[in-house]
Each structure stands twice: as C-alpha cells, then as structure tokens.
Amino acid sequence: MTRTIPGLHHVTAISGPPQANLAFYTGRLRQRLVKKTVNFDDPGTYHLYYGDSAGSPGTILTFFPFADAGPGRAGPGMASAYAYAVPKGGFDGWMETLALDAVDFDGPTDRFGQRVLTLRDPDGAPVELVETDRDSDAPLDGFHSVTLWESDIAPTARLLTEIFGYVETGHETAGGTERLRLQAPGDARGAVIDLMRSDAPSIGRQGAGSIHHIAFRAETDAIQRDWMEKLASAGHPTTPVIDRQYFNAIYFREPGGVLFEIATDPPGFAVDEDPAHLGEALKLPAKYEAYRDRIEQVLPPLQVAR
C-alpha cells in the first residue's frame, strides 16, 4: 500500500508578548496550554504549545513569543492562515459568543460549501473557524486546515499529491483570489491544505502575527525515515532528524518557499509531565537545565486561567 501523510501535526507561529497570546488562546479559543518550554535556539524566549486536553497531533499550535517582535505580514511563499474545526452544531454558538463578548470577526463566508468566520489574535493573525460535520464535545476539534499563499500553485500541488498522497477536492476563484483545496485520505484532524494565489500585491515578512512553518505527521520514527528517503529521491532533501524533545523533526522548503516539517507522533507531551498537569511547569531541553535559575529570571511570569 502506498503511504500517505495523515494530516497536520502542528503549526508554529510568531507572536508578540506572551501573556496576551496565552490569554487569547487559552481563554478566547479555549485551548489547553500543553507545554511551556523555551526556544531551542534562544532560551530567553518561551516556546508555548496549545492543543486539546491530551496534546494530540493535529491540534497543536505553537508560538515563539518575542516581546519586541515587529509586525509580520503574509505574502507569497508563506503559510497565511490556520483554521480550527468547529464541531457539528457549534458554529452558531461561536458566532453568538463572539458577538456577545464584543469580539470583532469577519464573516461568515462560504468556502467550498462550509461556513467560515475569521477573528484576529492579539498580533493581528487571522484565526479561522470552519463549520464541520465532525462530532466532538470539545469547543474546537483541532485543526481543519492551513492556507499556503503561493505565487504558483502547481509545483506545491504536485508535491502534495504525487509525494504526500493528497487528493484535489475543490477549486474556487473569486475576487482575484484562486484557491485549490487538497485533502489527505482518512479522517485525521488537519487533513486539509488550501493553496492560494492572489492578484493582490504583497511582500511577506516574518514577525508577530506570522506563521513560521507547518508540520505534517509521521506516525513513527521509521515512517519519518521513509519520508526522508522518499523526499530525497524526489529532489526534496531534508535536514537530518532533529530531536525536539516531544517529537523528532525533519525540515525542507517546498517549491513555493514555505518551510515544511515532518514531525513524529511519539514521544508526545506527557513524556516529561503528568497528563493531568501538562503545561504547568517550565520544561527545559536537557542542554539548558544547568542554566534554569538564570533562564527563569529572564522569562516573564505567565498567568494561566484554570
């Protein structure tokens, strides 16, 4: 049987000050802080992970919160939006709650037969909520999709379909924007990728409110190695495997310029923390543990509503 990517593992973005980011995603969007750690390359900066109660693949949104970050802007060669899946019957409730709380949002609009509303996080990043038929007791059932802004959709579409096994499920053009929908086989969370091309002029830049990279799932380390070999054979060499403490990762740039990662499901976020207490303690990579006191003095305190 030909192997396919099941869907997204996580999305990593950049934000401004961490407290406002934390309050929005754990409060407004009712996500759980599943891990509080630091940037592997900059231990004076948090790395915050939000997800469902268990930190399941396909629900994880992570942030590098740089307090002094300038504003980012999406453009060609960048992921431009992430979308959460609203469980069956929950969409009108979200609109009512946001309206009652005086939270501005755009929409609802129709996209491939599904209602979509868009609100903005504290750094102006678009956060999309998509109406789905999935049954779940959670307010949001992980990711629905991400949008990749491309100058030319075709090369990225070939990678996703011919190598990763995605299938084209829709194509729309309206108002100078073309959108091609691709979906991974199966019913995993985050199975949808939208490729977008826009006539609107824009030069993207990384900064607060922008997406750094998107990560696809590999169910095991062995499967990740298979993907590494398959990508190299197809002319897309990856980095070596990098230990990210809660998953192993490989990275490469897709033809349009977006940074892609393939991350393993194991070992998961409970490897160093009891599942009932995920996100409560500051967890450090082993190489920084000797500097804990100094790091804790630099990092701003965070208040998490429980």
Side-chain angles (χ1 to χ4, degrees), residues 274-294:
D274 185 285
H277 298 283
L278 292 178
E280 294 182 11
L282 176 66
K283 297 298 180 179
L284 298 178
K287 66 179 180 178
Y288 293 133
E289 192 59 54
Y291 309 101
R292 174 176 286 273
D293 288 346
R294 188 184 310 170

Side-chain angles (χ1 to χ4, degrees), residues 37-49:
T37 183
V38 296
N39 187 319
F40 268 84
D41 301 315
D42 178 9
T45 299
Y46 280 114
H47 193 176
L48 305 178
Y49 293 74

Side-chain angles (χ1 to χ4, degrees), residues 32 53 72 96 104 111-112 121 126 130 141 143 146 172 175 179-180 193 209 217 223 226 233 235-236 285 291 304:
R32 183 181 186 185
S53 60
E96 180 178 354
D104 290 335
R111 184 184 299 166
F112 298 109
D121 80 1
V130 180
D141 189 33
F143 286 121
V146 295
E172 295 180 341
R179 189 179 287 265
L180 176 68
I193 300 289
R217 284 180 62 193
I223 290 173
D226 289 344
S233 298
H236 303 286
Y291 309 101
V304 182

Side-chain angles (χ1 to χ4, degrees), residues 7-10 55-60 84 141-144 189-190 217:
L8 295 172
H9 182 280
H10 67 268
S56 306
T59 74
I60 300 298
Y84 283 101
D141 189 33
F143 286 121
H144 172 270
R189 296 181 176 103
R217 284 180 62 193

Side-chain angles (χ1 to χ4, degrees), residues 61-306:
L61 177 62
T62 95
F63 281 92
F64 301 130
F66 296 107
D68 298 325
R73 181 174 61 205
M78 299 175 67
S80 59
Y82 39 85
Y84 283 101
V86 177
K88 185 176 182 178
F91 193 84
D92 289 337
W94 270 101
M95 285 199 297
E96 180 178 354
T97 297
L98 293 171
L100 289 173
D101 290 347
V103 177
D104 290 335
F105 60 88
D106 296 328
T109 59
D110 180 271
R111 184 184 299 166
F112 298 109
Q114 296 173 303
R115 288 190 294 172
V116 182
L117 63 85
T118 304
L119 61 158
R120 300 276 171 174
D121 80 1
D123 296 293
V127 181
E128 299 177 339
L129 306 185
V130 180
E131 184 176 34
T132 72
D133 290 327
R134 293 178 70 102
D135 289 316
S136 174
D137 293 331
L140 296 173
D141 189 33
F143 286 121
H144 172 270
S145 57
V146 295
T147 297
L148 309 183
W149 189 341
E150 305 284 357
S151 297
D152 182 0
I153 285 175
T156 306
R158 283 195 296 271
L159 166 67
L160 292 171
T161 56
E162 296 176 6
I163 300 177
F164 282 1
Y166 280 71
V167 176
E168 182 178 336
T169 60
H171 186 265
E172 295 180 341
T173 302
T177 299
E178 176 186 9
R179 189 179 287 265
L180 176 68
R181 173 152 291 183
L182 304 173
Q183 185 161 351
D187 61 354
R189 296 181 176 103
V192 174
I193 300 289
D194 280 354
L195 302 181
M196 183 190 76
R197 188 196 63 77
S198 175
D199 292 337
S202 182
I203 298 175
R205 64 168 179 255
Q206 292 287 353
S210 70
I211 298 172
H212 188 268
H213 66 269
I214 68 169
F216 298 89
R217 284 180 62 193
E219 298 93 316
T220 66
D221 290 316
I223 290 173
Q224 184 188 64
R225 288 193 295 271
D226 289 344
W227 283 118
M228 180 186 292
E229 294 172 3
K230 188 171 184 178
L231 285 162
S233 298
H236 303 286
T238 72
T239 65
V241 175
I242 301 173
D243 181 354
R244 293 304 193 196
Q245 200 158 345
Y246 308 109
F247 47 85
N248 289 324
I250 57 175
Y251 301 86
F252 70 102
R253 295 267 176 195
E254 55 87 18
V258 181
L259 182 60
F260 278 4
E261 174 184 348
I262 299 179
T264 58
D265 287 359
F269 295 100
V271 68
D272 61 358
E273 218 167 5
D274 185 285
H277 298 283
L278 292 178
E280 294 182 11
L282 176 66
K283 297 298 180 179
L284 298 178
K287 66 179 180 178
Y288 293 133
E289 192 59 54
Y291 309 101
R292 174 176 286 273
D293 288 346
R294 188 184 310 170
I295 290 170
E296 290 181 338
Q297 289 174 5
V298 171
L299 293 172
L302 296 177
Q303 297 297 321
V304 182
R306 298 292 181 187

